[in-house]
Amino acid sequence: MYIDMAVYTIKVSQQLPISLEHAWDFISSPYNLQKITPAEMNFKILNGVKPEDKMHAGQVIVYSLTPLLGIRTEWVTEITHMHQHEYFIDEQRFGPYSLWHHMHSLKAIDGGVQMDDVIHYKLPFGILGQLIHFVLIRKKLKTLFDYRRITLEKLFGKM
């Protein structure tokens, strides 16, 4: 018996010259996801999240996007864990991955804040999923997180 256990990990770290509170206010608003996602991905929240809404453990966010090849998909995530001003975790409940576990964390540093993201993910379709990852997905995710880094620097400055 063969069991495909190809779980991939992305680690991204960024320092911004803003306070911990300011960074938390920004990232704890699901509405701001649209601001840090490339326009060509057509990111749209579908379940009525408003700009003033703040996330909380147990919150389910439903959105649609066009991640690859013009294919529109719905994605449902749940905020499974949250500790104010420190971290939150979103996990996919329905969407394109077999596994998506994303921890967003913050810590105050001299002159600003450090934002860290650790994502563990797995694609469906076994060996075909691994091939798609090698050819398309890893590059797309790198582009997405590069875009987020640049956008956050434009919004808040660079350290």
Side-chain angles (χ1 to χ4, degrees):
M1 177 191 286
Y2 173 76
I3 299 174
D4 174 18
M5 295 301 292
V7 175
Y8 303 101
T9 302
I10 297 172
K11 294 181 182 179
V12 180
S13 186
Q14 180 172 15
Q15 296 178 344
L16 298 168
I18 60 175
S19 70
L20 178 64
E21 292 77 15
H22 191 179
W24 182 260
D25 283 344
F26 184 83
I27 71 161
S28 67
S29 170
Y31 188 81
N32 286 331
L33 282 169
Q34 191 169 6
K35 294 178 183 176
I36 59 173
T37 302
E40 65 269 12
M41 291 184 73
N42 300 307
F43 181 94
K44 290 181 179 51
I45 295 177
L46 301 177
N47 63 331
V49 175
K50 297 175 184 66
E52 64 274 10
D53 292 345
K54 295 297 179 189
M55 68 178 56
H56 57 274
Q59 181 177 27
V60 173
I61 304 167
V62 181
Y63 48 95
S64 67
L65 68 159
T66 309
L68 285 173
L69 308 171
I71 301 168
R72 190 133 192 97
T73 188
E74 274 193 18
W75 200 340
V76 178
T77 58
E78 178 183 356
I79 307 304
T80 57
H81 299 82
M82 187 181 94
H83 193 271
Q84 185 93 8
H85 295 111
E86 289 185 33
Y87 72 91
F88 68 88
I89 296 171
D90 67 81
E91 295 183 30
Q92 175 189 286
R93 294 295 176 240
F94 175 80
Y97 294 90
S98 295
L99 166 73
W100 181 270
H101 181 276
H102 184 176
M103 181 170 174
H104 311 253
S105 62
L106 296 175
K107 71 177 176 180
I109 58 171
D110 286 341
V113 66
Q114 180 168 316
M115 300 175 69
D116 294 306
D117 290 282
V118 178
I119 304 98
H120 299 286
Y121 65 100
K122 184 179 185 324
L123 294 161
F125 310 121
I127 195 75
L128 179 59
Q130 290 178 25
L131 179 62
I132 293 168
H133 179 262
F134 180 75
V135 174
L136 294 172
I137 304 298
R138 68 185 177 127
K139 292 175 190 172
K140 187 68 173 182
L141 289 171
K142 181 182 181 331
T143 300
L144 171 66
F145 282 97
D146 286 347
Y147 179 88
R148 287 184 176 187
R149 178 184 48 78
I150 291 165
T151 301
L152 288 168
E153 287 175 356
K154 285 179 183 175
L155 288 169
F156 303 116
K158 187 176 179 177
M159 286 186 74

